[in-house]
């Protein structure tokens, strides 16, 4: 008799998320496994006139987020509006994701709350 292995449960971070507006635009980010971590790609971008092709489209915005347990992740986040990469922390609770990114040893930080759309 063959035993079927149950599929591994998806991490709460996996899926498509809508960012907050930043510089007048917002995006949809698809987060999926990348090695032993999770990465997010800009898959759609929007501004006041609707969907448009932003220069960062297709780029990795969430980078190497390693699960820490309890819906928490640590890695890096790229902010397209200023082209800076921040050390990042993410906390996922249901359909909301709180992101915090810092540079200069935590002296300069930015945060956003994203909403799951898929």
């Amino acid at each position: 008799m063959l035993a079927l292995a149950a599929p591994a449960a998806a991490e709460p971070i996996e899926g498509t998320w809508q960012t907050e507006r930043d510089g007048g635009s917002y995006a949809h980010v698809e987060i999926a496994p990348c090695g032993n971590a999770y990465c997010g790609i800009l898959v759609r971008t929007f501004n006041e006139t609707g969907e448009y092709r932003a220069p960062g489209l297709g780029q990795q915005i969430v980078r190497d987020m390693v699960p820490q347990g309890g819906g928490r992740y640590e890695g890096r986040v790229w902010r397209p509006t200023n082209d800076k990469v921040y050390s990042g922390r993410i906390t996922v609770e249901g359909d909301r994701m709180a992101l915090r990114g810092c540079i200069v040893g935590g002296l300069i930080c930015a945060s956003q709350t994203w909403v799951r759309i898929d």
Side-chain angles (χ1 to χ4, degrees), residues 11-79:
E11 281 286 324
I13 197 170
E14 291 183 63
T16 304
W17 299 84
Q18 182 172 305
T19 69
E20 284 185 23
R21 287 190 179 272
D22 189 8
S25 301
Y26 68 94
H28 290 174
V29 177
E30 178 68 35
I31 298 184
C34 60
N36 293 327
Y38 292 86
C39 298
I41 304 292
L42 286 172
V43 293
R44 297 177 76 185
T45 51
F46 303 86
N47 61 20
E48 64 280 347
T49 62
E51 189 167 0
Y52 77 108
R53 186 164 181 77
L57 198 63
Q59 298 296 311
Q60 201 177 75
I61 189 169
V62 174
R63 301 174 178 181
D64 303 319
M65 283 290 167
V66 177
Q68 304 297 306
R72 293 179 300 115
Y73 302 82
E74 291 183 3
R76 297 177 296 138
V77 178
W78 171 58
R79 185 176 181 195

